Amino acid sequence: MGMPTVYTTAHVLSSVISTAKMTGTVGFVPTMGALHEGHLSLVNKALDENSLVVVSIFVNPTQFNNASDLSNYPRNLRTDLELLSVFDRVIVFAPSVEDIYPKNDFFEPIDLNCLDTRLEGAYRPGHFQGVVHVVRNLFNIVQPHRAYFGEKDFQQLAVIRRMVVLLSFTTEIISCPTHRSVNGLALSSRNVRLSDQGRSHALIISQTLNYMKNLGHDATPSKVMELGNAYFSKGNLSLEYLEIVDANSLTTLTNHWSDHSVCCIAAHCEDVRLIDNLAL
Ligand code: PAF
């Protein structure tokens, strides 16, 4: 199969995509590189459902609210291309910052109805508007029939779904389950920055989520959060938040469960910020 073709400019990619659309559908997997099994499962799903799949690899500066997080973000295009070389019908878009954000680019933050101020948004101001900005620009270039996002970034999915409605994109948003290592750690590009000991300490995140799920709905969400916090504190990580929220509104549940209750955790392990979530 060989290395996938890499396009670095929007206009060349657009013309390849226009030709492909004459005979089939285009699936899109936006990534920031440092690909892992989770990304590859998105590519597999996209290949099942489309004739051509575009994988973008672009570390988006506008979604980092912390300069060192941006500079430490893992980048390895060659390894990414090797991982993608097992697939047929995949092309890669690896643009420059100037290509994604040309001089005449205009972006007005969209009303995310509190989706961007809660949980991640509270700790990463501006992050979700940065995600919306880049995904809007990427969608405008690729104009995919379907786009694939992982459920690990649960809040990002909610934000993208809202963006698609507000900006009238016709792209269908497809969510795919979180991939985990055998011992439960949610796969993330950031995991490469963890030592072996860090990886083992990080397991407290998924263990806490499973512990909370097993508590069931007999106790109130507040009580389950209290017990979850106590369980989490037996580990070595520093917690940013642990919250049970309604999956649609992202409001914290206290006395009553909703039809779709999700527990979200963000924590720091060896200076690496990790997030995970589980439907309870
Ligand atoms: O989930 C990610 O990797 C990024 O947030 C995305 C969607 C590629 C936008 O930069």
Side-chain angles (χ1 to χ4, degrees):
M1 266 159 247
M3 292 287 205
T5 307
V6 182
Y7 297 90
T8 53
T9 56
H11 72 277
V12 179
L13 179 81
S14 297
S15 81
V16 171
I17 291 175
S18 302
T19 310
K21 279 188 177 165
M22 287 177 197
T23 51
T25 60
V26 171
F28 181 39
V29 181
T31 81
M32 296 206 297
L35 302 183
H36 51 68
E37 282 297 325
H39 295 113
L40 302 184
S41 74
L42 300 182
V43 175
N44 261 316
K45 180 144 177 78
L47 279 168
D48 283 347
E49 299 177 351
N50 301 278
S51 30
L52 178 73
V53 172
V54 181
V55 177
S56 65
I57 297 179
F58 178 68
V59 181
N60 172 35
T62 68
Q63 72 188 73
F64 286 84
N65 53 314
N66 176 321
S68 72
D69 194 19
L70 173 61
S71 61
N72 287 329
Y73 201 84
R75 293 165 171 86
N76 196 336
L77 184 60
R78 185 148 189 102
T79 311
D80 289 343
L81 296 180
E82 275 162 14
L83 286 170
L84 293 172
S85 67
V86 297
F87 300 111
D88 219 358
R89 295 185 286 121
V90 169
I91 59 174
V92 170
F93 182 41
S96 65
V97 173
E98 293 70 30
D99 231 318
I100 292 295
Y101 298 116
K103 283 211 168 56
N104 60 356
D105 178 51
F106 175 74
F107 175 73
E108 179 124 36
I110 65 170
D111 175 9
L112 289 168
N113 195 20
C114 299
L115 291 179
D116 58 339
T117 52
R118 310 223 50 259
L119 304 171
E120 285 298 280
Y123 290 87
R124 304 185 69 188
H127 167 69
F128 286 115
Q129 294 294 348
V131 169
V132 167
H133 191 173
V134 76
V135 174
R136 180 203 70 170
N137 288 11
L138 286 165
F139 276 18
N140 280 336
I141 296 166
V142 178
Q143 299 188 21
H145 293 90
R146 303 182 184 90
Y148 298 79
F149 294 86
E151 284 166 9
K152 186 177 81 65
D153 294 305
F154 153 82
Q155 193 172 358
Q156 170 169 280
L157 249 166
V159 164
I160 300 289
R161 288 192 195 284
R162 183 163 169 88
M163 176 203 84
V164 162
V165 172
L166 289 184
L167 302 184
S168 309
F169 280 109
T170 54
T171 301
E172 186 186 350
I173 303 302
I174 316 253
S175 64
C176 304
T178 302
H179 253 63
R180 298 180 180 279
S181 65
V182 272
N183 42 19
L185 179 65
L187 297 192
S188 161
S189 303
R190 293 168 194 268
N191 292 355
V192 295
R193 292 177 49 214
L194 296 174
S195 68
D196 286 347
Q197 190 188 47
R199 275 169 195 264
S200 133
H201 285 165
L203 295 179
I204 191 70
I205 300 177
S206 55
Q207 287 163 352
T208 303
L209 290 169
N210 284 316
Y211 162 78
M212 292 170 73
K213 188 174 179 75
N214 288 336
L215 291 173
H217 286 194
D218 289 342
T220 62
S222 294
K223 184 68 191 170
V224 172
M225 281 190 274
E226 186 191 316
L227 294 169
N229 267 297
Y231 187 98
F232 185 89
S233 65
K234 291 190 205 140
N236 295 287
L237 267 52
S238 105
L239 185 66
E240 216 163 62
Y241 62 77
L242 177 159
E243 275 191 57
I244 299 174
V245 298
D246 171 66
N248 297 316
S249 65
L250 301 188
T251 48
T252 307
L253 300 174
T254 51
N255 293 325
H256 301 287
W257 295 90
S258 76
D259 291 344
H260 301 284
S261 311
V262 180
C263 182
C264 301
I265 293 183
H268 289 267
C269 178
E270 298 179 331
D271 274 347
V272 182
R273 191 170 181 283
L274 300 172
I275 58 170
D276 199 355
N277 66 81
L278 194 66
L280 300 189

